[in-house]
Amino acid sequence: NPLFMKYTPTAGQFAGQGSYGVKSFELFIDACVAIQSGRAQPQDYNDGSLATVHTTLQGTAILEAGRKSLDQDGRPMDIVYDSVESEEPVGIVPHVFHSSSGENDDDADVGSKKKRRLSH
């Protein structure tokens, strides 16, 4: 990806400083130094300024649901959350199509708790 990293020199000099690959490494190193020196906490970067486990959970779940769907010949998958308010996925399950009996496709009875499902 030429936007991630520029490998070709400009006028014989490295010219990749402006690519987002170099910038993301720079931001990561700056965050490590700030955390190590006590000027910041890891959770300070959960605001989207840096890719963290917290900020990439939903995107990762969507990619995993897509992979599982492809593995099962295109079967739709549901991303499961602990509650309607939760933003952290807790599982991915095959979508269950309900009859017109009035059951709600948006909720799954997983264990003894109702969990919110997001279909992809």
Side-chain angles (χ1 to χ4, degrees):
N1 179 346
L3 298 176
F4 181 76
M5 187 69 76
K6 184 177 185 302
Y7 295 102
T8 57
T10 299
Q13 301 293 314
F14 175 73
Q17 304 89 319
S19 61
Y20 76 86
V22 171
K23 288 187 181 288
S24 65
F25 285 116
E26 182 181 355
L27 290 171
F28 177 76
I29 297 300
D30 289 346
C32 291
V33 170
I35 292 166
Q36 189 69 25
S37 69
R39 292 181 286 123
Q41 299 279 328
Q43 59 270 23
D44 294 342
Y45 299 96
N46 287 340
D47 61 358
S49 61
L50 192 64
T52 65
V53 170
H54 178 77
T55 62
T56 59
L57 281 172
Q58 290 181 341
T60 301
I62 290 167
L63 293 171
E64 180 68 6
R67 185 196 62 78
K68 288 183 176 215
S69 175
L70 290 171
D71 288 349
Q72 294 188 29
D73 296 323
R75 183 172 183 185
M77 294 289 144
D78 291 340
I79 299 173
V80 181
Y81 296 83
D82 271 332
S83 68
V84 174
E85 296 82 24
S86 177
E87 294 182 5
E88 292 189 19
V90 295
I92 300 169
V93 296
H95 182 74
V96 177
F97 293 95
H98 296 284
S99 65
S100 59
S101 64
E103 291 185 37
N104 187 348
D105 275 359
D106 294 333
D107 292 321
D109 189 10
V110 181
S112 61
K113 288 168 79 167
K114 283 280 195 181
K115 296 184 183 258
R116 178 172 65 110
R117 284 182 146 176
L118 178 63
S119 297
H120 286 281

